[in-house]
């Protein structure tokens, strides 16, 4: 009898946790936390576990809040697309009011956690939530420039870690911001290319030309080149304490060239398979690049 009672209870908790992960986009949030921690390690004079925990918790709350607000706003459009129709709100598993309450709670927890680190970190976290929710989200159905606007909150995490460690914004976090800013475009346009038909069902305008054509592919190539250039700038000693050794520069450059090859293949073939390969290459690049930066600092 006890097992029979516990089983439904366990199922409820399991489903609730699954919906929480879905509405906060747990995998995306974890990747953002990873970027923030990489920035923290690059900026820190002395590593403090309490700061790492606050940054990780606050960062997850920040991203989770943005995604929850986004899903509240886009609940009707999500119901039209195959990739989003089973999300908690359009599927009916979570009410709009509960999702909104969760988003507000996560916002408060995130901002307070980041404020404990320092006010600048909390400010940038709040700006990120505002831009993602109040500017990027409504623009997605209006203009492809939404991706440009969305690149700003998307580029904040790497920079945020440095600010959390130093309570300062200068050339170093600015460079980290620019690296992830330019990376956003090939990454999200590759994703937008793959999901173009589904995005159109929801009325989203994600590709720069509105089409899966050479114009879009050419812009992907150009932004990939800028990303590579900015990624190796710290090797030239002009970015303050953010520096890169020659071996690390070569590794980062080669990884960027691999991503550029995938971008060129998309320009040549203009198919979903090539777009998917570029998207996966971009995820690998940003993760490995951050690891190389951190390892290079400590060796």
């Amino acid at each position: 009898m006890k097992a029979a009672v516990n089983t439904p209870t366990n199922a409820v908790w399991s489903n609730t946790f699954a919906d929480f992960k879905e509405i906060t986009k747990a995998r995306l949030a974890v990747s953002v936390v990873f970027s923030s921690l990489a920035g923290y390690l690059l900026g820190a004079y002395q590593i403090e576990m309490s700061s790492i925990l606050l940054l990780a918790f606050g960062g997850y709350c920040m991203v989770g809040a943005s995604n929850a607000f986004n899903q509240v706003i886009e609940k009707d459009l999500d119901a039209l697309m195959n990739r989003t129709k089973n999300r908690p709100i359009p599927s009916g598993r979570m009410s709009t009011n509960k999702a909104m309450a969760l988003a507000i709670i996560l916002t408060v927890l995130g901002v307070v956690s980041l404020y404990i680190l320092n006010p600048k970190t909390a400010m940038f976290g709040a700006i990120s939530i505002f831009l993602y929710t109040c500017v990027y989200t409504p623009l997605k159905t209006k203009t492809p420039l939404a991706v440009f606007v969305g690149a700003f909150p998307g580029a904040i995490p790497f920079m945020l870690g440095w600010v959390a460690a130093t309570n300062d914004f200068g050339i170093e976090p600015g460079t980290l911001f620019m690296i992830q800013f330019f990376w956003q475009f090939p990454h999200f346009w590759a994703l937008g290319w793959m999901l173009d038909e589904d995005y159109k069902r929801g009325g989203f305008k994600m590709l720069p030309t509105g089409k899966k054509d050479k114009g879009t592919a050419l812009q992907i190539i150009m932004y990939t080149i800028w990303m590579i250039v900015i990624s190796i700038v710290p090797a030239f000693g002009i970015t303050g304490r953010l520096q890169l050794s020659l071996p690390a520069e070569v590794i980062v450059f080669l990884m960027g060239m691999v991503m550029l090859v995938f971008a060129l293949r998309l320009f040549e073939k203009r198919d979903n398979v090539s777009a998917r390969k570029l998207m996966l290459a971009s995820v690998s690049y940003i993760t490995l690049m951050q690891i190389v930066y951190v390892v290079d600092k400590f060796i």
Side-chain angles (χ1 to χ4, degrees), residues 120-139:
K120 285 189 179 72
T121 305
M123 179 190 70
F124 282 120
I127 289 173
S128 176
I129 294 175
F130 173 78
L131 287 176
Y132 190 89
T133 302
C134 300
V135 185
Y136 166 68
T137 294
L139 279 179

Side-chain angles (χ1 to χ4, degrees), residues 96-138:
T96 302
N97 288 339
K98 285 184 178 179
M100 180 62 77
L102 176 62
I104 293 171
I105 291 171
L106 289 173
T107 299
V108 173
L109 290 174
V111 172
V112 169
S113 298
L114 298 180
Y115 187 85
I116 293 172
L117 286 169
N118 59 66
K120 285 189 179 72
T121 305
M123 179 190 70
F124 282 120
I127 289 173
S128 176
I129 294 175
F130 173 78
L131 287 176
Y132 190 89
T133 302
C134 300
V135 185
Y136 166 68
T137 294

Side-chain angles (χ1 to χ4, degrees), residues 158-175:
F158 200 15
M159 172 202 80
L160 192 73
W162 185 288
V163 176
T166 64
N167 192 26
D168 181 55
F169 182 84
I171 186 65
E172 300 94 344
T175 303

Side-chain angles (χ1 to χ4, degrees), residues 66-287:
S66 297
N67 289 322
F69 280 127
N70 173 268
Q71 291 183 46
V72 168
I73 295 168
E74 294 180 350
K75 62 183 187 302
D76 295 329
L77 300 179
D78 281 348
L80 302 175
M81 297 183 291
N82 293 330
R83 61 182 286 269
T84 56
K85 64 184 180 183
N86 290 320
R87 284 177 173 174
I89 301 177
S91 67
R93 299 193 307 274
M94 183 181 293
S95 69
T96 302
N97 288 339
K98 285 184 178 179
M100 180 62 77
L102 176 62
I104 293 171
I105 291 171
L106 289 173
T107 299
V108 173
L109 290 174
V111 172
V112 169
S113 298
L114 298 180
Y115 187 85
I116 293 172
L117 286 169
N118 59 66
K120 285 189 179 72
T121 305
M123 179 190 70
F124 282 120
I127 289 173
S128 176
I129 294 175
F130 173 78
L131 287 176
Y132 190 89
T133 302
C134 300
V135 185
Y136 166 68
T137 294
L139 279 179
K140 287 164 67 178
T141 58
K142 306 297 183 183
T143 172
L145 287 174
V147 174
F148 176 80
V149 174
F152 283 88
I156 284 177
F158 200 15
M159 172 202 80
L160 192 73
W162 185 288
V163 176
T166 64
N167 192 26
D168 181 55
F169 182 84
I171 186 65
E172 300 94 344
T175 303
L176 298 180
F177 176 89
M178 292 303 294
I179 292 171
Q180 199 150 346
F181 179 80
F182 283 110
W183 170 83
Q184 301 277 320
F185 295 94
H187 173 73
F188 281 107
W189 283 335
L191 184 64
W193 189 297
M194 290 167 48
L195 301 173
D196 185 54
E197 290 78 12
D198 210 23
Y199 274 131
K200 285 179 177 177
R201 294 188 187 99
F204 295 123
K205 304 177 186 296
M206 303 303 289
L207 297 179
T209 67
K211 302 175 183 178
K212 298 194 288 187
D213 59 8
K214 282 189 174 182
T216 289
L218 181 60
Q219 291 196 49
I220 289 174
I221 291 171
M222 295 305 297
Y223 277 97
T224 301
I225 292 172
W226 275 112
M227 178 203 73
I228 295 171
V229 171
I230 299 299
S231 294
I232 62 174
V233 162
F236 296 94
I238 58 175
T239 53
R241 287 203 300 121
L242 180 65
Q243 298 182 8
L244 205 59
S245 69
L246 179 59
E249 176 194 12
V250 171
I251 293 171
V252 170
F253 176 76
L254 291 177
M255 290 192 303
M257 291 304 294
V258 169
M259 187 170 158
L260 181 59
V261 167
F262 283 108
L264 291 169
R265 287 180 180 174
L266 178 60
F267 180 82
E268 177 187 359
K269 297 184 177 181
R270 299 191 299 283
D271 60 4
N272 286 351
V273 173
S274 300
R276 176 175 173 77
K277 289 180 179 178
L278 173 58
M279 188 273 294
L280 293 174
S282 69
V283 173
S284 298
Y285 175 82
I286 197 67
T287 303

